[in-house]
């Protein structure tokens, strides 16, 4: 089970960073990921859907495995890794 909780009474990251230079980041999680057994099939299936891909499928130069990222409707990044 994965539970994501969104608080409604918080200060947005955009408002906090508006006086900082572009590319400034905040501390905290930036994405979550899943290891999947058939990444090519999953990528092809997702390609037929109305998903917002964050880049394209790439091969990680460190472990030589495929990976890709999609954004959910709220802009949260979800990364998929080849098993």
């Amino acid at each position: 089970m994965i539970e994501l909780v969104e608080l409604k009474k918080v200060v947005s990251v955009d408002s906090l960073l508006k006086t900082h230079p572009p590319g400034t980041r905040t501390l905290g999680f930036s994405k979550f990921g899943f290891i999947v057994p058939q990444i090519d099939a999953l990528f092809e299936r997702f390609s037929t859907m109305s998903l917002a891909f964050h880049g394209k499928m790439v091969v990680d130069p460190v472990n030589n495995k495929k990976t890709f990222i999609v954004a959910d409707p709220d802009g949260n990044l979800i990364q998929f890794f080849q098993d």
Side-chain angles (χ1 to χ4, degrees):
M1 179 178 89
I2 296 173
E3 179 182 32
L4 300 175
V5 178
E6 180 179 25
L7 302 174
K8 297 295 182 186
K9 295 181 179 182
V10 298
V11 177
S12 76
V13 172
D14 291 337
S15 68
L16 291 173
L17 295 179
K18 67 183 174 186
T19 60
H20 290 75
T24 302
R25 297 192 174 148
T26 58
L27 180 65
F29 295 107
S30 63
K31 63 182 173 183
F32 62 97
F34 297 95
I35 296 172
V36 295
Q38 298 176 332
I39 196 165
D40 291 315
L42 184 64
F43 183 82
E44 289 301 318
R45 181 175 175 206
F46 283 178
S47 295
T48 66
M49 301 175 173
S50 297
L51 296 176
F53 283 87
H54 189 74
K56 57 184 180 177
M57 184 168 345
V58 297
V59 176
D60 186 306
V62 174
N63 63 19
N64 203 33
K65 294 196 175 195
K66 295 178 184 179
T67 183
F68 68 92
I69 300 171
V70 297
D72 75 3
D74 291 324
N76 299 301
L77 300 179
I78 306 165
Q79 187 167 13
F80 296 89
F81 299 94
Q82 180 181 11
D83 185 13

